[in-house]
Coordinates of all heavy atoms in Angstrom, one line a residue:
A299 N 0.8 -1.2 0.0 CA 0.1 0.1 0.0 C 0.9 1.2 0.1 O 0.6 2.2 -0.7 CB -0.8 0.0 1.3
T300 N 1.9 1.2 0.8 CA 2.9 2.3 1.0 C 3.7 2.6 -0.5 O 3.7 3.7 -1.0 CB 3.9 2.2 2.0 OG1 3.2 1.9 3.2 CG2 4.8 3.4 2.2
L301 N 4.2 1.4 -1.0 CA 4.7 1.6 -2.3 C 3.9 2.0 -3.4 O 4.3 2.8 -4.2 CB 5.4 0.1 -2.7 CG 6.2 0.2 -3.9 CD1 7.4 1.3 -3.8 CD2 6.9 -1.3 -4.2
D302 N 2.7 1.5 -3.4 CA 1.7 2.0 -4.4 C 1.4 3.4 -4.4 O 1.3 4.1 -5.4 CB 0.3 1.2 -4.2 CG 0.4 -0.3 -4.6 OD1 1.5 -0.7 -5.4 OD2 -0.6 -1.0 -4.4
A303 N 1.4 3.9 -3.1 CA 1.2 5.4 -3.0 C 2.2 6.1 -3.5 O 2.1 7.3 -4.1 CB 0.8 5.8 -1.6
W304 N 3.4 5.7 -3.2 CA 4.5 6.3 -3.7 C 4.7 6.4 -5.3 O 4.9 7.3 -5.9 CB 6.0 5.8 -3.2 CG 6.4 6.4 -1.9 CD1 6.4 5.9 -0.7 CD2 7.0 7.6 -1.8 NE1 7.0 6.8 0.1 CE2 7.5 8.0 -0.5 CE3 7.4 8.6 -2.8 CZ2 8.1 9.0 -0.1 CZ3 8.1 9.8 -2.3 CH2 8.4 10.0 -1.0
R305 N 4.4 5.1 -5.9 CA 4.4 5.0 -7.2 C 3.4 5.9 -7.9 O 3.5 6.4 -9.0 CB 4.3 3.5 -7.7 CG 5.4 2.7 -7.3 CD 6.6 3.0 -8.1 NE 7.9 2.5 -7.4 CZ 8.3 1.2 -7.7 NH1 7.7 0.4 -8.4 NH2 9.6 0.9 -7.0
A306 N 2.2 6.2 -7.3 CA 1.1 6.9 -7.8 C 1.7 8.3 -7.8 O 1.3 9.2 -8.8 CB -0.1 6.7 -6.9
A307 N 2.4 8.7 -6.8 CA 2.9 10.1 -6.8 C 3.9 10.3 -8.0 O 3.9 11.4 -8.6 CB 3.6 10.2 -5.5
G308 N 4.7 9.2 -8.3 CA 5.7 9.3 -9.5 C 4.8 9.5 -10.7 O 5.3 10.2 -11.6
A309 N 3.7 8.7 -10.8 CA 3.0 8.6 -12.1 C 2.3 9.7 -12.4 O 2.0 10.1 -13.5 CB 2.1 7.4 -12.0
R310 N 2.0 10.7 -11.4 CA 1.2 11.9 -11.7 C 1.8 12.8 -12.6 O 1.2 13.6 -13.3 CB 0.8 12.5 -10.3 CG 1.9 13.2 -9.6 CD 1.6 13.7 -8.3 NE 2.8 14.0 -7.5 CZ 3.4 15.1 -7.5 NH1 3.1 16.1 -8.4 NH2 4.5 15.4 -6.9
G311 N 3.2 12.7 -12.7 CA 4.0 13.7 -13.6 C 3.6 13.3 -15.1 O 3.9 14.2 -15.9
A312 N 3.3 12.2 -15.5 CA 3.0 11.9 -16.7 C 2.0 12.8 -17.4 O 2.1 13.3 -18.6 CB 2.6 10.5 -17.0
Q313 N 0.9 13.1 -16.6 CA -0.2 14.0 -17.1 C 0.5 15.4 -17.3 O 0.1 16.1 -18.2 CB -1.3 14.0 -16.0 CG -2.5 14.9 -16.5 CD -3.6 14.7 -15.5 OE1 -3.6 13.9 -14.5 NE2 -4.7 15.5 -15.6
A314 N 1.3 15.9 -16.5 CA 1.8 17.2 -16.4 C 2.8 17.2 -17.6 O 2.7 18.3 -18.4 CB 2.6 17.6 -15.1
R315 N 3.5 16.2 -17.9 CA 4.4 16.2 -19.2 C 3.6 16.3 -20.4 O 3.9 16.8 -21.4 CB 5.3 15.0 -19.0 CG 6.3 15.0 -20.3 CD 7.4 14.0 -20.0 NE 6.8 12.6 -20.0 CZ 6.5 11.8 -21.0 NH1 6.6 12.3 -22.4 NH2 6.0 10.6 -20.8
A316 N 2.5 15.5 -20.4 CA 1.6 15.4 -21.6 C 1.1 16.8 -21.9 O 0.9 17.2 -23.1 CB 0.6 14.4 -21.4
A317 N 0.6 17.4 -20.8 CA 0.0 18.9 -21.0 C 1.1 19.8 -21.5 O 0.9 20.6 -22.5 CB -0.5 19.3 -19.7
W318 N 2.3 19.6 -21.1 CA 3.5 20.3 -21.6 C 3.8 20.1 -23.1 O 4.0 21.0 -23.8 CB 4.8 20.1 -20.7 CG 6.0 20.8 -21.3 CD1 6.4 22.1 -20.9 CD2 7.0 20.3 -22.2 NE1 7.6 22.4 -21.6 CE2 7.9 21.3 -22.4 CE3 7.1 19.1 -23.0 CZ2 8.9 21.2 -23.2 CZ3 8.1 19.0 -23.7 CH2 9.1 19.9 -23.9
A319 N 3.8 18.8 -23.4 CA 4.0 18.4 -24.7 C 2.9 19.0 -25.7 O 3.3 19.6 -26.7 CB 3.9 16.9 -25.0
E320 N 1.7 19.3 -25.3 CA 0.7 19.9 -26.1 C 1.1 21.4 -26.3 O 1.0 22.0 -27.4 CB -0.7 19.8 -25.5 CG -1.3 18.5 -25.5 CD -2.7 18.4 -25.0 OE1 -3.2 19.4 -24.6 OE2 -3.1 17.2 -24.8
Q321 N 1.5 22.0 -25.2 CA 1.9 23.5 -25.2 C 3.1 23.6 -26.1 O 3.1 24.5 -26.9 CB 2.2 24.0 -23.8 CG 0.8 24.1 -23.0 CD 1.2 24.3 -21.5 OE1 2.3 23.8 -21.0 NE2 0.4 25.1 -20.9
F322 N 4.0 22.6 -26.0 CA 5.2 22.7 -26.9 C 4.9 22.6 -28.3 O 5.5 23.2 -29.2 CB 6.2 21.6 -26.5 CG 7.5 21.6 -27.3 CD1 8.4 22.6 -27.1 CD2 7.8 20.7 -28.2 CE1 9.6 22.7 -27.8 CE2 8.9 20.7 -28.8 CZ 9.9 21.7 -28.6
A323 N 3.8 21.8 -28.7 CA 3.5 21.5 -30.0 C 3.0 22.7 -30.6 O 2.8 23.0 -31.8 CB 2.6 20.3 -30.1
A324 N 2.3 23.6 -29.8 CA 1.8 24.9 -30.2 C 2.7 25.9 -30.6 O 2.3 26.9 -31.3 CB 0.7 25.4 -29.1
L325 N 3.9 25.7 -30.3 CA 5.0 26.8 -30.6 C 5.1 26.8 -32.2 O 5.0 25.7 -32.8 CB 6.2 26.5 -30.0 CG 6.4 26.7 -28.4 CD1 7.8 26.3 -27.9 CD2 6.0 28.1 -28.1
P326 N 5.6 27.8 -32.7 CA 5.9 27.9 -34.2 C 7.0 26.8 -34.4 O 7.8 26.4 -33.5 CB 6.5 29.2 -34.4 CG 5.9 30.1 -33.3 CD 5.7 29.2 -32.0
A327 N 7.1 26.2 -35.6 CA 7.9 25.2 -35.9 C 9.4 25.5 -35.7 O 10.2 24.7 -35.2 CB 7.8 24.7 -37.3
D328 N 9.8 26.8 -36.0 CA 11.2 27.2 -35.9 C 11.7 27.3 -34.4 O 12.7 26.9 -34.1 CB 11.4 28.4 -36.6 CG 10.5 29.7 -36.2 OD1 9.5 29.5 -35.5 OD2 11.0 30.8 -36.3
Q329 N 10.6 27.6 -33.5 CA 10.8 27.7 -32.1 C 11.2 26.4 -31.6 O 12.0 26.0 -30.7 CB 9.7 28.4 -31.4 CG 10.2 29.9 -31.2 CD 9.2 30.5 -30.1 OE1 8.0 30.5 -30.3 NE2 9.7 31.0 -29.0
R330 N 10.2 25.4 -32.0 CA 10.4 24.1 -31.5 C 11.7 23.5 -32.0 O 12.5 22.8 -31.2 CB 9.2 23.2 -32.0 CG 7.9 23.5 -31.6 CD 6.9 22.3 -31.8 NE 6.8 21.8 -33.2 CZ 6.1 22.3 -33.9 NH1 5.3 23.4 -33.8 NH2 6.1 21.8 -35.2
S331 N 12.1 23.8 -33.2 CA 13.3 23.3 -33.7 C 14.5 23.7 -32.9 O 15.5 23.0 -32.6 CB 13.6 23.5 -35.2 OG 14.7 23.0 -35.8
E332 N 14.5 25.0 -32.6 CA 15.6 25.7 -31.9 C 15.8 25.1 -30.5 O 16.8 25.0 -30.1 CB 15.5 27.2 -31.9 CG 16.3 28.0 -31.1 CD 17.8 28.0 -31.7 OE1 18.0 27.3 -32.8 OE2 18.7 28.6 -31.1
F333 N 14.5 25.0 -29.8 CA 14.5 24.6 -28.5 C 15.2 23.1 -28.4 O 15.9 22.9 -27.6 CB 13.1 24.5 -28.0 CG 12.7 24.1 -26.6 CD1 12.7 25.1 -25.6 CD2 12.7 22.7 -26.3 CE1 12.5 24.8 -24.2 CE2 12.5 22.4 -24.9 CZ 12.3 23.5 -23.8
D334 N 14.7 22.3 -29.3 CA 15.3 20.8 -29.3 C 16.6 20.8 -29.7 O 17.4 20.0 -29.0 CB 14.4 20.1 -30.3 CG 13.1 19.6 -29.9 OD1 12.8 19.7 -28.7 OD2 12.2 19.2 -30.8
R335 N 17.1 21.7 -30.6 CA 18.6 21.7 -30.9 C 19.3 22.0 -29.7 O 20.4 21.3 -29.3 CB 18.8 22.7 -31.9 CG 20.3 22.8 -32.3 CD 20.5 24.1 -33.3 NE 20.3 25.3 -32.5 CZ 21.3 25.8 -31.8 NH1 22.3 25.1 -31.5 NH2 21.1 27.0 -31.3
R336 N 19.0 23.0 -28.9 CA 19.7 23.6 -27.8 C 19.8 22.4 -26.7 O 20.8 22.2 -26.1 CB 19.0 24.8 -27.3 CG 19.2 25.9 -28.1 CD 19.3 27.2 -27.4 NE 18.9 28.3 -28.1 CZ 18.7 29.5 -27.5 NH1 18.7 29.7 -26.1 NH2 18.4 30.7 -28.3
F337 N 18.6 21.7 -26.4 CA 18.6 20.6 -25.4 C 19.4 19.4 -25.8 O 19.7 18.7 -25.0 CB 17.3 20.5 -25.0 CG 16.8 21.4 -23.7 CD1 16.2 22.7 -24.2 CD2 17.1 21.1 -22.6 CE1 15.9 23.4 -23.1 CE2 16.8 22.1 -21.5 CZ 16.1 23.2 -21.8
R338 N 19.6 19.2 -27.2 CA 20.4 18.1 -27.6 C 21.9 18.5 -27.5 O 22.7 17.7 -27.5 CB 20.0 17.8 -29.1 CG 18.8 17.2 -29.4 CD 18.9 16.5 -30.9 NE 19.2 17.4 -31.7 CZ 18.4 18.2 -32.6 NH1 17.1 18.3 -32.2 NH2 18.8 19.1 -33.4
G339 N 22.2 19.9 -27.3 CA 23.5 20.3 -27.3 C 24.2 20.3 -28.6 O 25.4 20.7 -28.7
D340 N 23.4 20.3 -29.7 CA 24.0 20.5 -31.0 C 24.3 22.1 -31.4 O 23.6 22.9 -30.7 CB 23.0 20.0 -32.1 CG 22.9 18.4 -32.0 OD1 23.8 17.8 -31.4 OD2 22.0 17.9 -32.4
L341 N 25.1 22.4 -32.2 CA 25.4 23.7 -32.6 C 24.6 23.9 -33.9 O 24.2 23.2 -34.6 CB 26.9 23.9 -32.8 CG 27.8 23.8 -31.7 CD1 29.2 23.7 -31.9 CD2 27.4 24.8 -30.6
P342 N 24.4 25.3 -34.0 CA 23.4 25.7 -35.3 C 24.0 25.4 -36.6 O 25.3 25.4 -36.8 CB 23.3 27.2 -35.1 CG 23.8 27.5 -33.8 CD 24.8 26.5 -33.4
E343 N 23.3 25.2 -37.6 CA 23.6 25.1 -39.0 C 24.4 26.4 -39.4 O 24.0 27.6 -39.1 CB 22.5 24.9 -39.9 CG 22.0 23.5 -40.0 CD 20.9 23.4 -40.9 OE1 21.1 23.9 -41.9 OE2 20.0 22.6 -40.7

């Protein structure tokens, strides 16, 4: 019961991440591309 409660606490983040993904998808394509590039650590073309 205790482990299940802890795992439920960990699982609640999936919903927040899904909501974030929707907001991220709403950004203009060039902004999404730039954001992803930076977090990959790649340098610009």
Side-chain angles (χ1 to χ4, degrees):
T300 302
L301 185 57
D302 287 347
W304 267 109
R305 293 289 161 87
R310 65 187 169 84
Q313 184 176 352
R315 182 172 60 84
W318 175 86
E320 290 182 8
Q321 293 170 323
F322 182 69
L325 291 179
D328 60 337
Q329 267 196 297
R330 293 199 308 272
S331 176
E332 176 69 3
F333 186 94
D334 284 341
R335 178 190 69 76
R336 293 214 202 163
F337 274 90
R338 287 195 309 271
D340 297 339
L341 295 172
E343 285 186 31

